[in-house]
């Protein structure tokens, strides 16, 4: 917490604490390790306020494969770089916790239930608003992780399209993967 308070604005610290709380709640709902969910939730935005050059340099040093969207929008790398900070600065070596930190912004096809919980908590924590659609997604996130990932990705894509932001291919891949998983189990 001391590191967060020194490196992250107060409003973002409050967001992080809401994500941690929601990740714990969702982990309990889905019978996952709530301590791992708490750790990933608490550390998901460690690199959120790093500058673009620092994000690019750390990603390149780590050997991450960058595409044109990453290079044009380095802030999208904060999830990947946040996992590096969690490992190197805070000694987190649990592969699933690090992966959940990496996946929290763009998602990933086939991501683990722990990653799903952190992705959902980041996108749906109460500070994101209280629209009818967000409330439905919050309810669904407690019932069905796969369907809620697909629908939250749809929600995010609509927002990105409406605000004319670039769309990272991984967001589309995540959405399609979870949509197909849900459709396969439908009668």
């Amino acid at each position: 917490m001391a590191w967060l308070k020194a490196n992250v604005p107060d409003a973002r610290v409050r967001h992080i604490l809401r994500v941690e709380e929601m990740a714990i709640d969702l982990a309990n709902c889905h019978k996952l390790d709530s301590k791992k969910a708490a750790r990933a939730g608490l550390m998901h935005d460690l690199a959120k306020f790093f500058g673009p050059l620092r994000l690019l340099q750390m990603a390149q040093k780590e050997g991450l494969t960058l595409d044109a969207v990453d290079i044009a929008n380095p802030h999208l790398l904060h999830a990947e770089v946040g996992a590096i900070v969690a490992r190197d600065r805070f000694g987190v070596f649990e592969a699933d916790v690090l992966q959940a930190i990496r996946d929290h912004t763009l998602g990933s096809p086939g991501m683990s239930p722990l990653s799903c919980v952190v992705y959902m908590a980041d996108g749906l924590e109460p500070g994101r608003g209280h629209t009818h659609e967000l409330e439905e997604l919050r309810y669904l996130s407690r019932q069905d992780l796969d369907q809620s990932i697909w629908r939250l990705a749809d929600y995010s894509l609509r927002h990105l399209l409406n605000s004319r932001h670039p769309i990272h291919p991984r967001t589309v891949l995540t959405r399609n993967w979870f949509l197909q998983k849900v459709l396969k189990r439908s009668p």
Side-chain angles (χ1 to χ4, degrees), residues 155-176:
Y155 178 85
S156 298
L157 288 167
R158 280 193 307 278
H159 168 75
L160 292 168
L161 288 166
N162 290 335
S163 58
R164 298 182 179 184
H165 282 78
I167 296 174
H168 197 285
R170 207 166 90 201
T171 302
V172 176
L173 292 171
T174 300
R175 182 257 184 203
N176 290 345

Side-chain angles (χ1 to χ4, degrees), residues 26 42 51 76 84 87 92 95-96 105 115 128 130 158 163:
L26 289 173
L42 188 61
L76 292 174
I84 297 166
R87 182 193 67 206
V92 174
D96 52 351
T105 299
S115 286
R128 298 288 191 191
H130 294 283
R158 280 193 307 278
S163 58

